[in-house]
């Protein structure tokens, strides 16, 4: 019996023995195609020789150094790499161990920025419904997924909440996309005014929504209008790109496709590709200069920030993405994946929508296409599909509560950037057959 507190306490998952490329292998020798990158993490796939070599070289020289005493070459080089490829004046970076830590860091940095400016009355964040920003208490507070928040709600800070940008679910039947976007921006401005702009620290949003809604891209012009509102009312714009960033959508940063530059950006997952735990916060010049000219230090820190081994792995991952032209490959293979989903999955009786950007795709399941009515949440349809796919040697990322934290089901796909056309064909065909089998059975039961 395992002594680990696994995600499901009644179930011990199979033991993964090794991995190669886009595949995992278990104790029995069974092979699984990793169509979700774990959780949109494994951008390069598994056991990339150049990353393994970089890890060995770093461990042989310097595995760990505490930042109270030293910086190190690996983390300095990674910082140089990230700043060189970041748009605008995102000239500073803070390294942590993962996505939730990155969001927590961003929230504290944003608050301290206003404190340094003497505006201590700024105590509120604005964030969106059905969002996900991590599992630490601050990150969970700005997140809008009610199922994740409910057990810990008494411990969470209050956050001003506005609607998510989800045209499939929320655009009215006779409403144009432009009118829908304008309605969302009007709602955000109304919320800012009602709360008092002078009390707002910043607006936090995923550029392409990930786990809780299933790869929902923003409507055209949404984030440029958000940026304009933040500038108008002098509040910070924090882009959460922990899941959708670092090449996953076809550009290194997803916000590049929105023609905006956020004030603070959180990244993780694809930053290190799963080879070591690492996350980071990219920060614009004026924020760091304000703190430098004030107290002179960011009142924050963790034991493993700027970890040399993690930095060496992430640097190798980012260099490979650049040198091998993998962003162009994500765009190419992403178009193929989304086309195949549109042609072969969206036409199924119980699939309401397929969407995404790059190699980041979502499939939303519905009981009725016309009304978009979801299946009974008690069926846990998403979990059934995950199990059935896993039995067929396919790993997908399932999630329930797509609509409101309880109702709705979707499947998320985020394969490694190196995925081949043939492997995409296997993903789509296997998923199609599983969805047909599971949804037809569920429809008969309900």
């Amino acid at each position: 019996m395992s002594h680990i507190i696994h995600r499901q306490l009644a179930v011990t998952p199979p033991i993964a023995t090794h991995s190669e490329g886009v595949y995992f292998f278990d104790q029995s020798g069974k092979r699984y195609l990793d169509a979700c990158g774990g959780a949109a993490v494994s951008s390069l796939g598994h056991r990339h020789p150049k990353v393994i070599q970089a890890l060995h070289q770093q461990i042989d020289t310097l595995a760990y150094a505490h930042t109270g005493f030293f910086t190190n070459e690996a983390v300095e080089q990674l910082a140089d790499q990230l700043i060189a490829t970041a748009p605008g004046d995102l000239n500073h970076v803070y390294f942590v161990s993962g996505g939730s830590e990155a969001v927590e860091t961003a929230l504290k940095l944003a608050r301290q920025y206003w404190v340094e400016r003497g505006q201590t009355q700024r105590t509120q964040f604005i964030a969106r419904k059905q969002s996900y920003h991590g599992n630490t208490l601050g990150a969970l507070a700005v997140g809008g997924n009610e199922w994740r928040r409910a057990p810990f709600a008494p411990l969470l800070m209050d956050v001003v909440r506005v609607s998510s940008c989800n045209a499939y679910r929320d655009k009215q039947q006779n409403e144009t996309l432009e009118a829908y976007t304008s309605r969302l921006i009007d709602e955000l401005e109304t919320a800012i005014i009602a709360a008092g702009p002078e009390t707002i620290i910043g607006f936090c949003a995923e550029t392409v929504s990930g786990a809780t809604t299933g790869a929902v891209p923003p409507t055209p012009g949404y984030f440029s209008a958000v940026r304009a509102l933040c500038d108008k009312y002098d509040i910070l714009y924090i882009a959460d790109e922990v899941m959708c960033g670092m090449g996953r959508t076809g550009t290194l940063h997803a916000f590049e496709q929105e023609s905006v530059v956020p004030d603070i950006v959180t990244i993780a997952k694809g930053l290190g590709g799963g080879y070591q735990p690492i996350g980071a916060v990219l920060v614009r010049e004026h924020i760091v200069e304000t703190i430098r000219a004030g107290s002179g230090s960011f009142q924050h820190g963790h034991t493993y920030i700027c970890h040399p081994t993690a930095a060496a792995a992430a640097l190798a991952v980012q260099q490979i993405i650049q040198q091998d032209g993998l962003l162009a490959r994500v765009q190419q293979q992403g178009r193929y994946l989304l086309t195949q989903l549109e042609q072969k999955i969206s036409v199924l009786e119980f699939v309401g929508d397929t969407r995404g950007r790059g190699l980041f795709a979502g499939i939303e399941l519905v009981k009725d296409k016309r009304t978009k009515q979801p299946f009974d949440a008690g069926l846990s349809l998403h979990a059934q599909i995950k199990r059935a796919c896993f039995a067929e040697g396919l790993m997908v990322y399932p999630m329930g509560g797509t609509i409101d934290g309880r109702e709705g089901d979707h499947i998320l796909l985020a394969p490694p950037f190196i995925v081949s056309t043939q492997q995409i064909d296997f993903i789509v065909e296997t998923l199609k057959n599983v969805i047909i089998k599971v949804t037809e059975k569920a429809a008969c039961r309900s």
Side-chain angles (χ1 to χ4, degrees):
M1 179 179 176
S2 175
H3 295 285
I4 296 171
I5 302 174
H6 291 291
R7 287 176 178 258
Q8 297 296 325
L9 296 182
V11 178
T12 299
I15 294 175
T17 56
H18 61 288
S19 56
E20 183 77 34
V22 301
Y23 295 102
F24 277 99
F25 298 82
D26 70 13
Q27 273 184 314
S28 70
K30 184 175 178 178
R31 188 177 76 169
Y32 305 85
L33 197 157
D34 182 8
C36 53
V41 172
S42 301
S43 51
L44 293 188
H46 309 279
R47 288 179 63 190
H48 194 292
K50 290 183 180 178
V51 185
I52 302 301
Q53 181 183 18
L55 279 166
H56 280 300
Q57 289 176 347
Q58 187 61 46
I59 292 170
D60 286 343
T61 56
L62 179 70
Y64 168 69
H66 192 274
T67 54
F69 302 94
F70 297 103
T71 186
N72 61 84
E73 289 185 4
V75 80
E76 293 289 348
Q77 290 172 9
L78 177 59
D80 290 345
Q81 170 76 20
L82 293 178
I83 298 312
T85 54
D89 64 341
L90 287 162
N91 294 335
H92 301 274
V93 59
Y94 190 98
F95 290 106
V96 291
S97 298
S100 294
E101 277 188 20
V103 172
E104 202 81 11
T105 299
L107 300 180
K108 291 178 72 176
L109 182 65
R111 164 63 181 172
Q112 185 173 336
Y113 166 72
W114 291 114
V115 170
E116 300 274 359
R117 286 185 56 179
Q119 298 189 34
T120 56
Q121 80 283 357
R122 293 193 185 246
T123 58
Q124 299 187 91
F125 289 95
I126 299 183
R128 303 188 298 185
K129 300 172 185 176
Q130 265 307 90
S131 57
Y132 180 65
H133 297 292
N135 264 329
T136 53
L137 291 178
L140 195 62
V142 291
N145 184 266
E146 292 305 319
W147 175 79
R148 295 174 188 267
R149 290 167 50 87
F152 312 102
L155 308 180
L156 305 180
M157 64 180 172
D158 291 332
V159 171
V160 178
R161 196 74 63 188
V162 295
S163 297
S164 60
C165 184
N166 186 338
Y168 171 70
R169 275 286 160 194
D170 298 329
K171 186 176 77 68
Q172 296 169 5
Q173 188 171 1
N174 297 321
E175 189 176 33
T176 66
L177 207 56
E178 293 77 12
Y180 169 64
T181 303
S182 295
R183 176 159 60 85
L184 292 179
I185 297 304
D186 289 345
E187 179 191 353
L188 176 57
E189 184 166 26
T190 299
I192 292 171
I193 294 169
E198 71 284 355
T199 72
I200 301 296
I201 296 171
F203 173 70
C204 183
E206 302 162 273
T207 309
V208 179
S209 297
T212 54
T213 56
V216 178
T219 56
Y222 173 79
F223 276 111
S224 60
V226 164
R227 175 74 272 182
L229 272 186
C230 290
D231 292 340
K232 178 179 178 179
Y233 290 103
D234 196 20
I235 63 178
L236 298 177
Y237 164 30
I238 303 169
D240 181 353
E241 298 210 345
V242 167
M243 183 171 264
C244 66
M246 304 316 293
R248 174 57 57 189
T249 65
T251 50
L252 191 63
H253 303 286
F255 64 79
E256 293 179 65
Q257 298 174 55
E258 307 306 316
S259 300
V260 296
V261 178
D263 296 298
I264 300 174
V265 184
T266 61
I267 57 177
K269 295 185 185 290
L271 172 60
Y275 287 90
Q276 284 284 285
I278 189 168
V281 182
L282 299 173
V283 189
R284 287 184 65 189
E285 188 73 30
H286 68 281
I287 295 174
V288 174
E289 283 307 309
T290 296
I291 297 174
R292 193 194 308 274
S295 66
S297 66
F298 178 29
Q299 193 174 329
H300 182 64
H302 296 284
T303 300
Y304 294 113
I305 61 175
C306 296
H307 196 284
T309 309
L315 178 61
V317 168
Q318 295 310 308
Q319 289 173 335
I320 291 163
I321 289 172
Q322 190 172 43
Q323 293 164 5
D324 291 0
L326 291 182
L327 295 181
R329 182 175 178 84
V330 171
Q331 294 170 24
Q332 176 186 330
Q333 296 301 86
R335 284 192 295 269
Y336 184 74
L337 172 61
L338 291 170
T339 298
Q340 292 302 300
L341 292 177
E342 175 68 25
Q343 293 177 352
K344 299 179 179 178
I345 302 291
S346 69
V347 296
L348 299 179
E349 182 180 1
F350 300 110
V351 172
D353 190 38
T354 59
R355 66 278 186 129
R357 184 182 285 179
L359 286 172
F360 195 43
I363 300 158
E364 185 165 343
L365 304 155
V366 293
K367 185 178 179 181
D368 188 308
K369 271 186 184 264
R370 185 182 60 83
T371 64
K372 303 179 185 178
Q373 177 191 355
F375 281 90
D376 181 354
L379 294 173
S380 295
L381 198 68
H382 57 284
Q384 291 188 50
I385 289 174
K386 176 192 174 182
R387 288 192 296 270
C389 283
F390 198 63
E392 297 296 326
L394 178 66
M395 295 164 57
V396 299
Y397 188 118
M399 189 58 63
T402 310
I403 301 170
D404 57 7
R406 173 172 169 75
E407 301 291 335
D409 301 271
H410 70 263
I411 300 296
L412 192 67
L413 299 175
F417 300 172
I418 60 171
V419 68
S420 71
T421 300
Q422 292 76 20
Q423 289 162 346
I424 290 174
D425 289 340
F426 172 79
I427 294 168
V428 173
E429 190 64 25
T430 303
L431 196 50
K432 181 184 77 171
N433 293 336
V434 166
I435 288 174
I436 290 171
K437 180 179 178 181
V438 173
T439 55
E440 287 182 349
K441 184 178 180 181
C444 291
R445 290 176 56 188
S446 57

